[in-house]
Amino acid sequence: MSTPSYTLVIENGPLKGQQFPVTSAGLQLGRSSQCDIAIHDPLLSRNHCRFELRDDALCVIDLASANQTLVNDKPVDEGKLSAGDRITVGETILRVEQSTPVAVNLPTDGTALPEVVIDLGFGKDNASPSAAKKSFLRPVIWSLAAVLILIVGTTLILDPSNRQQTSRVQKPQTIEQEKTLLLQYEKIEASIDNIFRYEMTLSPGGTLAVKIDDLSGKNRHVRKEKQIDPALVAELAREIENSGFFTLEKAYTGFAARPNTLNEWTLTVALGRNAHTSRVTNRQEPDAFRALREKFETFSKNELGIWAIQFSSEKLTELARDALAVARKKYDERDVKFGNLFESIRSYQEAVFYLDTVNPKPDFYTEIIDGFEAAENELGKRYEEQRFRADRAINLSDWPLAARELRILCELTPDRADTRNKEASRKLIDVENRLGKSRR
């Protein structure tokens, strides 16, 4: 039975004309640049909806978007799609196209397939004019073969060293294939109110896929996939081989710290001919298990840029609230230390990062955005005022004052990758050189 495949064709909107085949990993659509279908449309949520394959059927899931997901002009939270259906999100309209691979039907009644004959014109009984025309190739081929044999033979006779080298050539040995790696890691946190599942899979072909399913409130589903450099996979395989994982027991079970809760981690590794699964439930992890789990998680975070999404919505909201508290404190103390304003901005950015995949946003999200903009404007204003003081001191050749003002400027923007910090640092180096010369 043939498996249907689906493609989303954008009929209207900023990406009109583009097509997106739906893979087994699914497609996420939204305003965020991290989405598989990223559309710059203010009417879209950062993560607006998802398209997934379930039992060979295409489904759409609304991710608690602000302006809803419409299928054939009707709002849906989740539903199956058919060929020809139209999905409206913001200013974009997508059409579902479905195709089924053509199956080749072989005879079932014992009838033989027609024999395919390829005639090269070498047959003796060919009496057709076309065969006669092709037969002239035979003497040409034999002549070329004779010339080639003559050249090779002459070379061997005139150069004995070639004969010796040829005699030393051994039959090629079978090269042992690299050990293939299959990795699967699953984390489940469950309570009466919520189930959170995080899964990472590294296929033998080198495809890294991460799935997040968070059922708290409105469902939150995240899917990411990437092809990994074979050199990185090989390095990871070597670390796994020396990790002691294959000596772990199959199960480690304890008691939940709180009633009706589940915390479970499962690691499955197949490396070459070795395969092993170990599961830890409601207890502290063995050292070898924890070390390998942390290695896997760090690997996926670095490769896919998804450090935060492995946590539940509640945890992400808690982290964002803590970051907001730090941002407020640093902003209130902006006159105590020059770098506090920059640190406040960084904490606001951290809070936004935590809430990127959380929908709907918590009630303090607006305060984060407003606070971030206020801190950015304040830093820009202070930077321009401080740069004016530094440039004025330079123009007056007051090198000690210029050096002090430039150091303050560097403290205001301590990130060395920031162009403002680079500019102030270059000026400071020049001013300090002039100071050194004046003191001699």
Side-chain angles (χ1 to χ4, degrees):
M1 186 174 181
S2 301
T3 302
S5 60
Y6 297 90
T7 301
L8 299 174
V9 180
I10 298 185
E11 289 189 336
N12 192 30
L15 302 183
K16 183 179 180 180
Q18 294 194 30
Q19 300 184 15
F20 297 88
V22 184
T23 65
S24 58
L27 294 175
Q28 187 134 319
L29 181 150
R31 186 163 42 87
S32 171
S33 60
Q34 301 298 318
C35 290
D36 304 297
I37 307 177
I39 305 176
H40 298 291
D41 181 353
L43 296 178
L44 294 181
S45 298
R46 289 181 60 81
N47 296 279
H48 197 97
C49 65
R50 274 193 60 76
F51 297 91
E52 295 182 358
L53 294 175
R54 298 179 180 176
D55 298 327
D56 296 338
L58 179 61
C59 298
V60 61
I61 303 99
D62 182 78
L63 302 177
S65 62
N67 293 317
Q68 297 184 314
T69 299
L70 307 180
V71 176
N72 299 327
D73 298 326
K74 295 181 180 179
V76 298
D77 291 328
E78 182 174 335
K80 290 186 178 181
L81 298 173
S82 302
D85 283 349
R86 283 173 169 77
I87 304 94
T88 303
V89 286
E91 296 181 350
T92 297
I93 299 176
L94 305 94
R95 184 182 74 255
V96 178
E97 289 191 354
Q98 177 182 343
S99 61
T100 303
V102 178
V104 178
N105 296 319
L106 299 177
T108 57
D109 57 357
T111 305
L113 292 174
E115 183 179 0
V116 179
V117 179
I118 300 176
D119 188 356
L120 299 178
F122 295 150
K124 294 182 180 179
D125 298 332
N126 287 332
S128 66
S130 61
K133 291 179 182 178
K134 293 178 182 178
S135 64
F136 81 92
L137 291 174
R138 181 168 50 186
V140 175
I141 293 173
W142 283 113
S143 298
L144 289 175
V147 172
L148 180 61
I149 293 172
L150 180 62
I151 293 173
V152 173
T154 303
T155 302
L156 291 175
I157 293 172
L158 296 179
D159 190 356
S161 62
N162 281 340
R163 291 196 303 245
Q164 295 176 358
Q165 292 176 3
T166 303
S167 63
R168 294 194 191 107
V169 174
Q170 299 178 354
K171 293 182 179 180
Q173 298 179 353
T174 302
I175 300 175
E176 185 179 355
Q177 294 183 347
E178 292 288 336
K179 293 183 178 179
T180 57
L181 173 63
L182 168 65
L183 160 68
Q184 185 172 22
Y185 163 57
E186 182 186 55
K187 176 172 71 174
I188 296 177
E189 297 175 358
S191 65
I192 297 177
D193 302 321
N194 182 36
I195 297 178
F196 173 77
R197 180 176 178 270
Y198 170 74
E199 179 186 350
M200 182 185 80
T201 303
L202 181 61
S203 72
T207 300
L208 177 65
V210 170
K211 299 179 181 179
I212 304 290
D213 295 295
D214 184 2
L215 304 184
S216 62
K218 291 193 175 181
N219 293 346
R220 169 175 164 254
H221 305 277
V222 181
R223 301 289 188 270
K224 291 290 181 181
E225 185 176 292
K226 180 182 178 182
Q227 192 68 26
I228 305 301
D229 184 345
L232 293 176
V233 175
E235 181 182 351
L236 180 61
R238 286 191 293 270
E239 293 185 15
I240 292 172
E241 196 167 23
N242 300 322
S243 67
F245 173 76
F246 293 102
T247 64
L248 291 173
E249 297 180 13
K250 291 185 177 180
Y252 298 86
T253 305
F255 298 96
R258 293 179 297 172
N260 300 317
T261 60
L262 172 68
N263 288 279
E264 186 172 85
W265 303 267
T266 305
L267 281 171
T268 299
V269 178
L271 181 58
R273 296 182 179 180
N274 293 327
H276 186 58
T277 295
S278 184
R279 178 178 289 109
V280 178
T281 306
N282 288 336
R283 59 157 285 175
Q284 188 174 357
E285 306 159 89
D287 291 341
F289 188 100
R290 187 191 69 256
L292 196 54
R293 173 185 62 79
E294 291 177 349
K295 173 65 182 177
F296 293 161
E297 289 185 342
T298 301
F299 185 84
S300 64
K301 294 170 197 173
N302 291 342
E303 287 299 317
L304 299 175
I306 52 169
W307 188 90
I309 67 171
Q310 64 170 312
F311 297 114
S312 64
S313 295
E314 289 86 352
K315 181 63 175 177
L316 291 173
T317 302
E318 178 186 343
L319 292 171
R321 196 185 300 275
D322 292 342
L324 174 59
V326 173
R328 289 182 190 140
K329 185 174 184 296
K330 293 293 183 181
Y331 185 81
D332 292 340
E333 297 175 354
R334 60 189 180 279
D335 295 327
V336 176
K337 186 179 178 182
F338 293 114
N340 279 352
L341 196 53
F342 182 86
E343 293 299 326
S344 173
I345 293 172
R346 178 168 288 178
S347 293
Y348 278 123
Q349 291 174 324
E350 184 180 350
V352 171
F353 171 70
Y354 287 137
L355 298 176
D356 181 48
T357 60
V358 175
N359 287 299
K361 305 299 183 191
D363 53 3
F364 59 87
Y365 185 73
T366 303
E367 182 182 351
I368 294 174
I369 300 302
D370 293 342
F372 171 74
E373 292 178 356
E376 276 271 295
N377 293 334
E378 180 71 14
L379 179 61
K381 178 182 176 181
R382 293 196 177 198
Y383 177 83
E384 292 300 328
E385 292 174 352
Q386 187 61 36
R387 185 169 66 171
F388 173 77
R389 296 190 189 98
D391 290 344
R392 181 179 59 186
I394 292 173
N395 292 334
L396 296 174
S397 299
D398 189 342
W399 306 124
L401 178 61
R404 185 171 70 85
E405 300 293 355
L406 286 169
R407 291 190 187 100
I408 294 174
L409 205 55
C410 290
E411 289 182 38
L412 277 173
T413 55
D415 184 2
R416 294 185 178 181
D418 193 317
T419 55
R420 296 172 295 186
N421 180 280
K422 291 179 179 179
E423 179 189 14
S425 297
R426 285 195 299 268
K427 290 181 180 179
L428 181 58
I429 291 172
D430 180 70
V431 168
E432 288 178 337
N433 288 336
R434 294 175 185 273
L435 268 175
K437 292 177 181 179
S438 65
R439 289 169 182 169
R440 292 174 186 172

